[in-house]
Amino acid sequence: MATPLRPKAENPRDFLATDSLLSDEEVMLRDTVRSYVSKEILPEVGAWFDAGTFPYKEVSKTLGDMGLLGMHLEGYGCSGSSAMMYGLACTELEAGDSGLRSFMSVQGSLAMFPIWAYGSEEQKQEWLPRMAAGEAIGCFGLTEPDSGSDPSSMRTNAKQQPNGDWILNGTKMWITNGSIADVAVVWAQTDEGIRGFVVPTDVEGFSAPKIERKVSLRASVTSELIFEDVRLPADAVLPGVASMRGPLSCLNEARFGILFGVVGAARACYESALDYANERVQFGGPISRFQLTQQRLVDFMTAVQQGTLVAYHLGRLKDQGQLGPAQVSFGKRQNTRMAIEVAREARSVLGANGITTEYPVIRHMTNLESVYTYEGTNEIHTLIMGQAITGHSAFS
Ligand code: TGC
Ligand code: FAD
């Protein structure tokens, strides 16, 4: 039988059949999260974004019930899933909204991970089961008003008193989940180096004003954390680490989630542009028949497929215990750049409709501006990789 002259790809949404690289269990988890996002997030998230809010208690409980919070950790109510499964969940959540993936990343990788990796048995028992169930929300305080890319210059400090208590003073800035958190993992200078503290947010002297007027990640809460002579018991400190290695190791976990997540945002933009181009009629037919439109759609599809392959490869390396921090930087930097470029160009395929939140693309586009900056800016990841390939540090 003759081959059709103009075959359409069997699946234009997965052109290289990257699903064939996943196990049945991985596909099942991926489809479950995709279905949740499609039914419960996509119909609402545009309005949440417009209003600058989201129903965090409900979302937290549902993600907990689905076993997604701290899913890559073992024990204490966590599901003990593979890194690949964690990454796939991030992709699907971020196809809904980067704010949703941020919520999950901060909870699992930035708040639960340090308690799990460096906490005492009591700290783990007190917080991890409730956080895994979505009944307690966590945040991670590293960045400060004058200390962003260079967190080791932080001024927040904790001084141990003769009776063993700690007194914490300082200000953290740009903290995801800050004003909705039940517990904050806070990094501070001490006489013994940089230490992490587990701070219940109902403690006296703590406040967390919400940062307003964001045009990015509007369906996510971002806050300042202020500590004014906050008194903490001796056992509030994370006993397992006393250096920048503590917070930086948490970033490896969250950056890994991002390199998967942004592929979901890019895919959502590509699919929105493809659907729109097939439906929108100008000059007597769909705009998808124009060569210039096809070039853009093919570029989006290629970029998303390449990003998927990078993510899957790094996911497999992580599950084999072979993934280094500079390789995580490769994925965070490359996939975030890819996603932001796809989003910006996809926005223009939708013409004027593309500037409204009736369609998801501009929401993803503005969200990705935050993702480009947080968890290490594009430039910081460039320098991490530059150091890895030359042996020279160019940070200062
Ligand atoms: P440096 O002197 O190189 O190292 C200090 C210590 O840390 C160790 N180390 C690491 N350990 C684990 N993982 C890594 N990636 C590590 N990188 C370094 C290192 O071995 C050393 O250990 P030790 O035991 O000898 O003390 O560190 P530095 O202070 O010069 O920092 C280097 C630099 C610039 C790469 C680092 O500061 C950096 O990554 N800056 C970017 C800051 C950043 O990414 N902030 C993110 C804040 S959290 C956030 O954005 C959350 S967004 C949440 C959301 O998803 O909504
Ligand atoms: P700066 O460090 O001041 O950088 C400004 C510019 O200078 C950037 O382009 C940067 O790349 C460039 N630059 C800096 N140093 C160098 C250099 N050595 N070489 C070349 N260029 C350089 N932080 C937390 O701790 N917890 C959170 O939950 C959290 N959530 C966030 C949520 C949102 C929505 C946002 C936007 C940020 C969040 N952050 C959080 C903070 C985030 O990690 C920082 O914004 C980020 O690390 C960059 O710091 P900065 O904004 O102070 O920029």
Side-chain angles (χ1 to χ4, degrees):
M1 205 166 85
T3 311
L5 277 179
R6 288 184 291 275
K8 206 170 160 193
E10 195 170 303
N11 183 358
R13 283 150 219 273
D14 185 20
F15 200 84
L16 296 179
T18 59
D19 274 8
S20 64
L21 300 171
L22 303 178
S23 69
D24 290 348
E25 189 191 11
E26 288 163 349
V27 169
M28 201 185 309
L29 178 276
R30 191 272 313 270
D31 288 349
T32 303
V33 183
R34 187 176 287 184
S35 162
Y36 159 68
V37 168
S38 149
K39 286 189 194 133
E40 295 190 36
I41 301 297
L42 290 179
E44 309 289 343
V45 68
W48 298 341
F49 185 94
D50 290 345
T53 181
F54 77 110
Y56 59 86
K57 284 195 177 149
E58 200 180 309
V59 166
S60 179
K61 191 73 187 56
T62 308
L63 296 180
D65 289 346
M66 292 172 75
L68 300 182
L69 300 176
M71 65 188 281
H72 58 314
L73 309 178
E74 292 269 356
Y76 306 97
C78 305
S79 355
S81 302
S82 65
M84 256 321 261
M85 304 260 271
Y86 170 63
L88 290 167
C90 288
T91 302
E92 296 310 318
L93 294 178
E94 195 148 355
D97 193 86
S98 299
L100 185 63
R101 196 270 308 135
S102 259
F103 181 89
M104 185 250 206
S105 302
V106 168
Q107 179 83 348
S109 286
L110 294 182
M112 294 174 73
F113 175 80
I115 297 174
W116 180 85
Y118 306 120
S120 64
E121 190 54 32
E122 292 71 29
Q123 290 167 335
K124 293 179 199 187
Q125 295 286 359
E126 181 177 1
W127 290 107
L128 293 180
R130 282 195 288 147
M131 293 172 86
E135 288 159 10
I137 295 176
C139 70
F140 174 89
L142 180 63
T143 306
E144 300 186 355
D146 297 323
S147 174
S149 296
D150 179 19
S152 57
S153 66
M154 72 176 69
R155 293 193 199 143
T156 297
N157 63 82
K159 302 233 178 294
Q160 197 154 26
Q161 307 302 298
N163 72 350
D165 285 358
W166 295 91
I167 302 291
L168 183 63
N169 277 291
T171 304
K172 297 290 176 181
M173 191 69 183
W174 302 113
I175 306 305
T176 302
N177 295 349
S179 35
I180 59 172
D182 300 288
V183 62
V185 173
V186 180
W187 300 94
Q189 302 277 4
T190 73
D191 290 343
E192 305 149 2
I194 285 173
R195 311 260 350 222
F197 292 85
V198 180
V199 183
T201 56
D202 58 2
V203 72
E204 203 175 324
F206 173 86
S207 57
K210 189 175 165 195
I211 296 173
E212 305 286 358
R213 304 182 71 176
K214 288 185 300 173
V215 291
S216 170
L217 278 188
R218 289 182 54 74
S220 169
V221 172
T222 318
S223 316
E224 220 175 321
L225 306 182
I226 300 170
F227 306 94
E228 290 172 311
D229 287 330
V230 169
R231 181 175 286 272
L232 299 168
D235 62 5
V237 72
L238 291 172
V241 73
S243 90
M244 275 306 287
R245 189 172 61 79
L248 294 179
S249 63
C250 304
L251 299 185
N252 294 337
E253 299 300 307
R255 290 166 178 173
F256 174 79
I258 290 174
L259 73 89
F260 269 84
V262 290
V263 174
R267 188 189 76 211
C269 293
Y270 158 55
E271 292 182 353
S272 183
L274 178 63
D275 291 343
Y276 189 88
N278 278 330
E279 282 160 21
R280 174 73 177 169
V281 171
Q282 287 294 285
F283 297 98
I287 61 171
S288 61
R289 79 191 189 287
F290 300 132
Q291 291 178 1
L292 293 176
T293 309
Q294 289 187 5
Q295 181 174 32
R296 295 203 279 183
L297 295 171
V298 168
D299 284 347
F300 304 158
M301 182 276 288
T302 305
V304 172
Q305 293 283 285
Q306 286 174 336
T308 302
L309 291 172
V310 166
Y312 287 5
H313 175 63
L314 296 182
R316 296 289 178 221
L317 282 185
K318 187 162 169 64
D319 277 325
Q320 292 157 12
Q322 303 283 326
L323 186 64
Q327 291 165 320
V328 174
S329 288
F330 178 108
K332 196 278 182 180
R333 175 181 182 268
Q334 181 54 31
N335 279 2
T336 306
R337 285 158 73 120
M338 175 280 288
I340 210 163
E341 280 165 21
V342 167
R344 285 172 183 157
E345 194 65 25
R347 205 289 308 148
S348 82
V349 172
L350 275 69
N353 280 316
I355 71 155
T356 73
T357 54
E358 287 287 321
Y359 291 86
V361 181
I362 199 161
R363 178 169 50 76
H364 284 298
M365 188 189 101
T366 63
N367 283 343
L368 287 164
E369 292 292 343
S370 288
V371 183
Y372 193 73
T373 287
Y374 69 35
E375 293 281 0
T377 65
N378 174 69
E379 291 72 32
I380 289 302
H381 289 295
T382 305
L383 298 184
I384 292 172
M385 291 163 67
Q387 181 174 7
I389 63 175
T390 67
H392 297 293
S393 167
F395 288 109
S396 50

